[in-house]
């Protein structure tokens, strides 16, 4: 009990240090460049306190729950020796955590506006929400596929650089045939898929799997899952935009 | 009182986000693996900390960084501000008249990345897996430099109107070359850090900056040109983390040659 209190207060000190650069940047720009008074000082100070406590709690809980459960499941699945359940686990984890991702909701809604402006879909609410839902399903599916491929790579011991760079060559090729208005959306959707809760889980899954398989190194084989999860959404959304245009 | 109500709202919101994942993990444990989780109590407490922490963190950001950052992005891309701060003599604004925007983009990209919880998670893991060879702080600073450079260059792209894919393709060429020469153990981590950087803290701010900039620059459409900054912020950390690995190897070589020299002189001493 006492040692967890010490760990928690140490996390709080660290999060104070982590947030200091932001305070400095905003403060310096306000004072020297923008030179306009900032209102609501009390609310700002309270908010900053919440950020520090929240970050410390999150990091503390991460060590307590997210890392152990991710690695524990990876070990258990590797011992079970069933590649099928491992693939199911990877796919559902990727699909399930992405479909409800708030950042993706925002990007999908904005992307449907872009599509209306470009004349790709009619300017009705139904068409818009259809398009946004389609985009979300495509991105979630692509993240599921990404984790599945990534887990397969760890099992099969294929080269990560060859697969990732090959993937990006496909992205560049798909960019040349995709309609212009989808390109920016596609490239951004690769970045928004990997959320704060998913990343620790996926990292623990990869590292746990690589360390429980013989002949794999946790450092060189365990990482790389997130790289797939940022690559496939770009490719799939580009293809989605192209196919929609053909129809 | 309002604050407490709002705190509850944010914590409930993060519970809605996290609970499906928790239910899935527990269901998988019970139905596929079978048996109870070892140290179940610890994991439940940990998840409560994750949910409450994420909720408070987001609420705090909503009160501080997000409104301030959005306001500053607006103020810095305001045509009036830009005309006052211009470097060129007269006529239309040139790309270099936006120097405050580049500086702000780099500074805010760097500092928000240091506060990104997902990046902290990966750094902690990389540190323990590599046996301390990858420093927690070193990796985070390397990623933050990459994001800062990336966002700044992304702003230049919006202002200059050059196509997104040119930059992305050129960036990946650099990544390919670096992959061939960088130490093998850093490569997967570097590829991962591209995706990790852009989540809760960084994305809302740089999106606001991109949209504000695309509105302010004549001839740009916020819808077509406002996107793409996140792509820059995911590409450049790969380059900077690979460089971090290369630097570490370089430093090792220098250290080694120094100690080898010392050994040699020692041997010479013995020979004498």
């Amino acid at each position: 009990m006492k040692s967890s209190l010490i760990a928690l207060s140490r996390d709080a000190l660290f999060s104070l240090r982590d947030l200091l650069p932001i305070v400095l940047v905003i403060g310096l720009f306000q004072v020297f460049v923008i030179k306009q008074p900032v209102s609501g000082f009390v609310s700002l100070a309270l908010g900053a306190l919440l950020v520090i406590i929240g970050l410390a709690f999150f990091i503390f809980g991460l060590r307590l729950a997210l890392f152990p459960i991710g690695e524990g499941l990876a070990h258990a699945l590797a011992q079970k020796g069933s590649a099928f359940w491992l693939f199911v686990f990877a796919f559902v984890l990727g699909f399930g955590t992405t479909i409800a991702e708030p950042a993706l909701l925002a990007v999908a809604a904005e992307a449907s506006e872009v599509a209306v402006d470009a004349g790709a879909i009619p300017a009705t609410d139904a068409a818009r929400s259809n398009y946004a839902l389609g985009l979300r399903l495509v991105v979630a599916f692509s993240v599921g596929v990404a984790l599945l491929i990534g887990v397969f790579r760890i099992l099969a011991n294929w080269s990560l650089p060859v697969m990732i760079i090959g993937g990006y060559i496909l992205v560049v090729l798909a960019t040349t045939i995709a309609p212009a208005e989808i390109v920016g959306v596609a490239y951004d959707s690769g970045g928004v898929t990997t959320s704060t809760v998913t990343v620790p889980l996926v990292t623990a899954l990869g590292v746990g799997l690589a360390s429980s398989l013989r002949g794999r190194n946790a450092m060189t084989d365990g990482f790389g899952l997130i790289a797939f999860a940022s690559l496939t959404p770009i490719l799939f959304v580009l293809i989605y935009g192209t196919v929609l245009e053909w129809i | 009182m309002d604050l407490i109500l709002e705190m509850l709202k944010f914590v409930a919101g993060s519970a809605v986000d996290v609970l499906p994942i928790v239910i899935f993990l527990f269901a998988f444990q019970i139905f596929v693996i079978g048996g109870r989780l070892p140290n179940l109590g610890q994991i439940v407490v940990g998840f409560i900390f994750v949910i409450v922490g994420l909720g408070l963190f987001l609420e705090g950001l909503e009160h501080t960084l997000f409104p301030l950052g959005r306001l500053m992005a607006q103020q810095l891309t305001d045509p009036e501000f830009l005309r006052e701060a211009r470097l060129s003599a007269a006529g239309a604004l040139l790309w270099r008249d936006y120097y405050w925007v580049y500086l702000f983009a780099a500074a805010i990209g760097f500092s928000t990345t240091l506060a990104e919880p997902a990046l902290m998670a990966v750094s902690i893991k990389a540190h323990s897996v590599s046996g301390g060879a990858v420093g927690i702080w070193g990796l985070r600073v390397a990623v933050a430099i990459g994001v800062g450079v990336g966002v700044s260059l992304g702003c230049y792209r919006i202002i200059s109107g050059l196509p997104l894919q040119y930059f992305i393709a050129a960036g990946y060429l650099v990544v390919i070359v670096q992959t061939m020469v960088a130490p093998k153990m850093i490569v997967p981590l570097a590829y991962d850090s591209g995706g990790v950087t852009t989540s809760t803290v960084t994305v809302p701010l740089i999106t606001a900056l991109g949209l504000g900039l695309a509105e302010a620059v004549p001839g740009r459409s916020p819808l077509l040109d406002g996107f793409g900054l996140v792509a820059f912020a995911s590409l450049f950390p790969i380059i900077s983390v690979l460089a971090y690995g290369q630097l570490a190897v370089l430093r090792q070589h220098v250290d080694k040659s120094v100690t080898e020299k010392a050994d040699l002189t020692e041997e010479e001493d013995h020979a004498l």
Side-chain angles (χ1 to χ4, degrees):
Chain A
M1 189 65 213
K2 202 175 165 200
S3 64
S4 3
L5 268 180
I6 294 172
L8 191 58
S9 40
R10 210 187 47 208
D11 283 340
L13 271 180
F14 279 141
S15 64
L16 195 66
R17 181 196 65 183
D18 295 332
L19 295 162
L20 208 61
I22 300 184
V23 177
L24 281 178
V25 167
I26 293 205
L28 288 177
F29 264 87
Q30 288 290 354
V31 173
F32 292 107
V33 184
I34 295 176
K35 294 177 197 153
Q36 269 168 20
V38 176
S39 58
F41 208 81
V42 179
S43 152
L44 281 181
L46 267 177
L49 192 70
L50 286 181
V51 171
I52 292 167
I53 297 172
L55 192 56
F57 272 34
F58 176 78
I59 297 293
F60 185 74
L62 180 92
R63 286 207 183 90
L64 227 50
L66 285 180
F67 279 161
I69 202 171
E71 269 178 46
L73 280 171
H75 281 302
L77 280 168
Q79 263 165 20
K80 204 174 154 72
S82 152
F84 170 75
W85 281 115
L86 203 54
F87 292 150
V88 170
F89 181 73
F91 181 84
V92 178
L93 185 66
F95 186 90
T97 52
T98 309
I99 193 79
E101 171 69 33
L104 179 61
L105 288 175
V107 167
E110 273 181 66
S112 65
E113 295 299 319
V114 178
V116 168
D117 263 39
I121 56 169
T124 59
D125 280 344
R128 263 194 216 113
S129 62
N130 245 335
Y131 184 86
L133 181 68
L135 197 67
R136 274 171 58 204
L137 283 173
V138 168
V139 173
F141 179 74
S142 68
V143 175
V145 170
L147 294 191
L148 207 158
I149 296 175
V151 165
F152 177 77
R153 180 200 80 87
I154 297 176
L155 294 179
N157 211 4
W158 286 3
S159 158
L160 179 72
V162 171
M163 293 180 83
I164 294 289
I165 289 169
Y168 277 105
I169 291 173
L170 285 181
V171 166
V172 171
L173 290 179
T175 307
T176 55
I177 57 164
E181 74 271 3
I182 199 83
V183 172
V185 177
Y187 280 72
D188 273 2
S189 64
V192 297
T193 49
T194 40
S195 80
T196 313
V197 181
T198 321
V199 165
L201 273 177
V202 168
T203 307
L205 170 71
V207 168
L209 192 60
S211 60
S212 51
L213 291 176
R214 221 173 290 146
R216 302 285 188 286
N217 176 298
M219 192 70 200
T220 50
D221 301 310
F223 290 93
L225 286 177
I226 295 162
F228 282 108
S230 348
L231 166 76
T232 55
I234 309 181
L235 191 61
F236 282 38
V237 171
L238 285 174
I239 295 172
Y240 176 66
T242 315
V243 170
L244 271 191
E245 204 192 36
W246 283 345
I247 295 169
Chain B
M1 195 60 215
D2 277 356
L3 193 74
I4 294 170
L5 268 180
E6 231 191 289
M7 265 159 68
L8 285 177
K9 210 181 76 194
F10 270 90
V11 170
S14 89
V16 169
D17 286 346
V18 176
L19 276 181
I21 305 174
V22 176
I23 292 169
F24 164 65
L25 291 174
F26 281 125
F28 212 84
Q29 171 71 34
I30 293 165
F31 294 116
V32 179
I33 312 275
R36 274 167 53 104
L37 272 176
N39 50 33
L40 181 70
Q42 178 202 321
I43 286 182
V44 170
V45 172
F47 268 118
I48 293 172
F49 268 100
V50 165
I51 289 171
V52 173
L54 208 55
L56 296 184
F57 183 65
L58 288 179
E59 200 213 340
L61 288 180
E62 212 55 68
H63 277 280
T64 51
L65 184 63
F66 289 164
L68 266 182
R70 287 197 191 107
L71 184 70
M72 288 170 77
Q74 262 171 28
Q75 287 168 327
L76 287 173
T77 53
D78 187 35
E80 213 163 291
F81 172 83
L82 286 168
R83 266 196 297 278
E84 253 173 61
R86 69 183 309 166
L87 295 170
S88 59
L93 289 167
L94 297 175
W95 68 268
R96 56 190 166 93
D97 292 331
Y98 294 86
Y99 58 98
W100 280 125
V101 174
Y102 305 131
L103 203 65
F104 180 70
I108 208 79
F110 179 87
S111 58
T112 53
T113 303
L114 283 182
E116 199 66 79
L119 179 59
M120 286 176 209
V122 170
S123 310
I124 293 170
K125 200 87 249 174
H127 180 76
S128 65
V129 166
S130 68
V134 175
I136 296 181
W137 190 242
L139 180 67
R140 285 170 54 200
V141 170
V143 173
I145 291 174
V147 174
V149 172
V151 179
S152 197
L153 204 65
C155 287
Y156 169 70
R157 183 200 75 87
I158 294 178
I159 290 162
S160 66
L162 293 166
L164 174 65
Q165 51 269 38
Y166 290 8
F167 287 88
I168 301 292
Y172 278 105
L173 272 182
V174 176
V175 170
I176 292 175
V177 173
Q178 275 184 304
T179 302
M180 290 191 276
V181 292
K184 268 209 174 57
M185 75 168 243
I186 200 82
V187 171
L189 185 62
Y191 286 6
D192 267 4
S193 54
V196 171
T197 46
T198 44
S199 53
T200 333
V201 195
T202 321
V203 169
L205 282 182
I206 62 176
T207 310
L209 190 64
L211 291 177
L213 204 54
E215 261 166 41
V217 180
R220 299 288 171 278
S221 128
L223 289 176
L224 282 181
D225 299 296
F227 285 100
L229 274 185
V230 177
F232 275 84
S234 333
L235 169 62
F236 281 80
I238 306 182
I239 296 175
S240 63
V241 173
L242 285 171
Y244 168 72
Q246 289 173 289
L247 268 179
V249 170
L250 211 67
R251 216 167 42 203
Q252 230 171 30
H253 278 300
V254 173
D255 284 352
K256 220 190 222 161
S257 60
V258 170
T259 45
E260 265 169 20
K261 226 179 234 166
D263 284 349
L264 268 180
T265 43
E266 214 168 88
E267 269 170 36
E268 280 166 8
D269 284 348
H270 284 297
L272 283 169

